[in-house]
Amino acid sequence: MRLRVTPWMANVHGITHGGVVFALADAAFAAAANAHGIPAVALAMSVQFLAPSRAGDVLVAEARETRLGRRAAFYAMTVKTTTGATIATCQGVVHRRPGEGWP
């Protein structure tokens, strides 16, 4: 997932709001967790903010599956700038719902 940070995405300190960074990581997490064709919903997600970004930066979020089980799966996400600076790392767990169709 990619996102260009705009001025209205900044917090009172002039850096990208943590909710924007989290939402980008969450979108990558959801895409990865549901890529198997089995509905998956988040159980937990945590984020660690490592460095700031600002308006004009392009952020890229990637999700990597670390364990896939029948009912649970675990993911590691990173959010970086296109220059390679790591902005945040995240971990997430999903509940997989085999046998259930998409709504």
Side-chain angles (χ1 to χ4, degrees):
M1 301 286 164
R2 291 178 98 84
L3 171 78
R4 180 174 301 279
V5 179
T6 62
W8 64 269
M9 295 176 183
N11 63 21
V12 298
H13 304 290
I15 61 177
T16 308
H17 192 285
V20 172
V21 176
F22 187 88
L24 181 62
D26 185 45
F29 175 37
N34 285 283
H36 296 286
I38 295 172
V41 294
L43 291 176
M45 187 173 167
S46 65
V47 61
Q48 300 76 45
F49 299 105
L50 306 176
S53 63
R54 292 181 168 68
D57 287 341
V58 175
L59 303 182
V60 178
E62 295 183 358
R64 181 176 51 88
E65 192 172 79
T66 58
R67 184 182 186 286
L68 178 64
R70 192 168 97 68
R71 290 282 186 186
F74 299 80
Y75 295 84
M77 288 72 70
T78 57
V79 179
K80 297 182 177 186
T81 64
T82 53
T83 60
T86 302
I87 301 304
T89 58
C90 308
Q91 298 76 44
V93 182
V94 295
H95 171 65
R96 301 180 76 224
R97 303 172 66 112
E100 291 188 22
W102 297 98

